[in-house]
Amino acid sequence: MLEVGSWVLGGIVAFLVVEKGVRHLKGGHGHGHGHSHAMQVSGYLNLAADVAHNVTDGMAIGASFAAGTAVGTVTALTVLLHEVPHEVGDLAILVQAGCSKRK
């Protein structure tokens, strides 16, 4: 449990550092000259985080099916219900970062 907790804490700290770096690029609180560049960076960060998220979702589904078909089915359904609003949120972030809806 200590190892898992350490990894979770490390992830939180890493994302905090990344967020502070993006804010620095934006010039404080988003009012600096680097605003459009920072928005592009936020889009790439969102894509990178989404890749990691989807990999872990896939690992959870695979491990659940290894435990049994019923557990795997419930996990897959849960992930699907979680992913629909999550991907809508990702679309909003990417559009705000300068990507077109089609892209």
Side-chain angles (χ1 to χ4, degrees), residues 3-98:
E3 184 179 352
V4 172
S6 297
W7 279 106
V8 170
L9 182 61
I12 291 170
V13 170
F15 277 106
L16 178 66
V17 169
V18 169
E19 180 186 3
K20 293 296 180 185
V22 170
R23 284 184 187 233
H24 177 71
L25 287 174
K26 288 186 350 184
H29 298 290
H31 301 295
H33 294 295
H35 183 68
S36 64
H37 176 67
M39 293 304 292
Q40 291 174 357
V41 169
S42 68
Y44 288 117
L45 288 173
N46 178 264
L47 288 173
D50 198 36
V51 166
H53 183 142
N54 289 337
V55 167
T56 57
D57 282 349
M59 290 169 49
I61 291 171
S64 296
F65 272 106
T69 305
V71 174
T73 302
V74 169
T75 302
L77 180 61
T78 303
V79 168
L80 175 67
L81 292 174
H82 159 81
E83 280 301 313
V84 171
H86 180 246
E87 295 301 329
V88 171
D90 284 347
L91 174 65
I93 291 169
L94 291 171
V95 167
Q96 186 180 15

